[in-house]
Amino acid sequence: MIIRDSAQFLRDGERIDDLERNGYRIIQNAKTFCFGMDAVLLSGFARVGKGETAVDLGTGTGIIPILLRAKTGGSRFYGIEIQAEIAEMARRSVELNGLSEDIEILNGDIRSVCGKDTPGSMGALKGRTDVVTSNPPYMKTSHGLRNPDDSKAIARHEVKCSLSDVCRAASVLLRSGGRFYMVHRPLRLPEIITELKAVRLEPKRIKPVYPFIDREANMILIEAVKDGRPECRFEKPIVVYKSEGVYSDEIIDIYGY
């Protein structure tokens, strides 16, 4: 049941946005970080079966677990977020939607997953998770980083975790045969494949995303399977806009408009 009296869930500078899925809403703060299309596309690309356990690395606002819950009932979702204030905001979004029994937001460093003494729920998930998702920072710290303590910088640049950290954490969490879904930039695809294979994650599906049909891809969606056999295919691409300011039919379908 969704809680309708939303004022009690808001803090200064925050707003509530309608996700247009199952009546779900999400709390955001433009001064920290708001989710983008990449998170929505990843939630549409990822597959979580009924009864499976899914963990989102660097969950931010909690958008991916919430959208995945809208697609798949009867599953258990976790979101791990290193920034305490952002994690607390994500928890309030979960409560706002009445999803506390299905989604748990954990405040922690995904790098600690790979240690021997991983705390709390994160430790219990190691080697037992069916699905891991991540919309990680795309840019290395050398690429235009201004304030390494800024929430937006942490979300966009590899300040608190690297691509290698994300892949290793996913592998440690997943059971053999479990699936890892990630959205990233095409320019880093060779590095991504190298990092995945180094931790027993075999790329299986790659789906490019083009802003327009006549432009080069600016995002890629990747599925990898832990201990999978070497076999990968490129899927039909997603084209975001069919003309300036007009979404394609596929994007309209993904967004649920």
Side-chain angles (χ1 to χ4, degrees):
M1 180 180 69
I2 297 176
I3 300 170
R4 298 297 180 183
D5 183 12
S6 58
Q8 61 180 306
F9 291 94
L10 289 176
R11 307 291 183 265
D12 289 345
E14 295 178 347
R15 68 174 193 255
I16 293 177
D17 293 331
D18 187 353
L19 294 176
E20 301 189 18
R21 303 283 180 87
N22 296 9
Y24 292 164
R25 295 173 290 171
I26 194 162
I27 300 169
Q28 302 201 91
N29 188 332
K31 291 183 179 179
T32 54
F33 190 75
C34 296
F35 76 87
M37 180 176 288
D38 43 8
V40 179
L41 293 177
L42 180 60
S43 71
F45 180 72
R47 300 169 179 173
V48 180
K50 188 173 182 179
E52 290 190 319
T53 298
V55 177
D56 185 42
L57 302 177
T59 199
T61 61
I63 180 63
I64 291 174
I66 291 172
L67 289 179
L68 288 176
R69 172 58 180 78
K71 286 190 356 178
T72 309
S75 300
R76 180 66 174 168
F77 299 92
Y78 295 85
I80 302 175
E81 172 57 42
I82 194 170
Q83 300 182 78
E85 290 184 4
I86 307 298
E88 192 271 336
M89 184 171 69
R91 286 193 195 102
R92 283 185 279 117
S93 285
V94 171
E95 294 171 9
L96 174 66
N97 291 296
L99 296 175
S100 297
E101 292 186 2
D102 300 319
I103 301 174
E104 182 178 353
I105 303 297
L106 306 173
N107 177 213
D109 189 334
I110 68 167
R111 293 171 295 188
S112 68
V113 170
C114 302
K116 292 183 180 180
D117 300 316
T118 308
S121 298
M122 285 193 289
L125 291 166
K126 292 169 70 169
R128 299 180 180 180
T129 302
D130 301 294
V131 174
V132 173
T133 58
S134 186
N135 177 13
Y138 295 148
M139 293 178 281
K140 297 184 178 182
T141 54
S142 58
H143 292 172
L145 179 60
R146 293 183 179 180
N147 183 355
D149 296 319
D150 181 75
S151 294
K152 292 182 179 180
I154 290 170
R156 294 168 178 164
H157 295 78
E158 294 181 343
V159 177
K160 300 294 185 181
C161 68
S162 65
L163 173 61
S164 177
D165 293 329
V166 171
C167 294
R168 285 190 293 113
S171 182
V172 169
L173 287 166
L174 286 169
R175 60 170 174 80
S176 183
R179 307 177 302 283
F180 177 44
Y181 298 95
M182 179 168 62
V183 59
H184 219 290
R185 294 293 189 226
L187 290 174
R188 298 188 69 180
L189 183 57
E191 180 186 359
I192 291 168
I193 292 175
T194 298
E195 294 290 355
L196 290 172
K197 293 175 76 70
V199 291
R200 299 163 48 200
L201 295 174
E202 191 64 39
K204 289 293 187 178
R205 299 163 55 214
I206 298 175
K207 193 176 190 70
V209 180
Y210 294 82
F212 294 91
I213 192 64
D214 60 347
R215 307 274 181 88
E216 65 179 39
N218 62 353
M219 282 186 278
I220 48 170
L221 298 161
I222 302 169
E223 177 190 53
V225 174
K226 186 171 180 178
D227 299 323
R229 291 184 296 178
E231 184 180 48
C232 183
R233 69 179 186 271
F234 272 77
E235 296 189 341
K236 178 183 176 182
I238 295 172
V239 178
V240 176
Y241 296 102
K242 54 185 176 182
S243 61
E244 192 69 41
V246 180
Y247 283 136
S248 67
D249 293 341
E250 185 171 10
I251 292 296
I252 291 173
D253 182 60
I254 291 171
Y255 268 85
Y257 293 149

